[in-house]
Amino acid sequence: MEEKSKDPLHGKRLDAILEELVEYYEGFEKLGEQINIKCFTDNPSINSSLKFLRKTDWARTKVESLYLFVLRQKKRNETKNGK
């Protein structure tokens, strides 16, 4: 039997992470406020952002960190609302 990875990023594609963040922050404008990088603030799109993030490790790291934060927030909200 295979063990499941505890890493929430395991098997998660960058495009899926980005789309989830854009949805959570209700667009690129608020996402750009969280991570101030040009691909989110200047004529943003999923495709142009993915191109940049795939080439730029520091930016991808910031996006992945923000995604982990959002997952914790969602879990916290579910726990709070579930009581």
Side-chain angles (χ1 to χ4, degrees), residues 14 48-60:
L14 184 57
S48 66
S49 297
L50 284 172
K51 247 183 232 180
F52 177 76
L53 294 171
R54 286 183 177 129
K55 290 189 286 186
T56 316
D57 288 338
W58 64 264
R60 182 181 182 139

Side-chain angles (χ1 to χ4, degrees), residues 11-33:
K12 197 77 168 168
R13 293 171 42 127
L14 184 57
D15 59 341
I17 291 171
L18 186 56
E19 288 169 4
E20 199 168 325
L21 287 173
V22 170
E23 182 181 323
Y24 182 81
Y25 285 104
E26 300 171 349
F28 278 102
E29 186 176 332
K30 288 184 182 171
L31 179 57
E33 291 172 7

Side-chain angles (χ1 to χ4, degrees), residues 5-83:
S5 173
K6 299 218 186 253
D7 180 5
L9 295 174
H10 180 77
K12 197 77 168 168
R13 293 171 42 127
L14 184 57
D15 59 341
I17 291 171
L18 186 56
E19 288 169 4
E20 199 168 325
L21 287 173
V22 170
E23 182 181 323
Y24 182 81
Y25 285 104
E26 300 171 349
F28 278 102
E29 186 176 332
K30 288 184 182 171
L31 179 57
E33 291 172 7
Q34 298 298 313
I35 304 175
N36 188 13
I37 51 179
K38 197 172 182 179
C39 71
F40 294 160
T41 60
D42 186 29
N43 198 18
S45 73
I46 296 288
N47 286 338
S48 66
S49 297
L50 284 172
K51 247 183 232 180
F52 177 76
L53 294 171
R54 286 183 177 129
K55 290 189 286 186
T56 316
D57 288 338
W58 64 264
R60 182 181 182 139
T61 301
K62 284 185 175 227
V63 168
E64 290 172 346
S65 295
L66 181 62
Y67 178 71
L68 293 174
F69 172 77
V70 166
L71 288 180
R72 286 192 303 273
Q73 288 298 104
K74 285 182 174 181
K75 194 173 213 168
R76 196 171 291 140
N77 290 341
E78 286 173 9
T79 304
K80 195 187 308 181
N81 293 335
K83 287 185 176 179

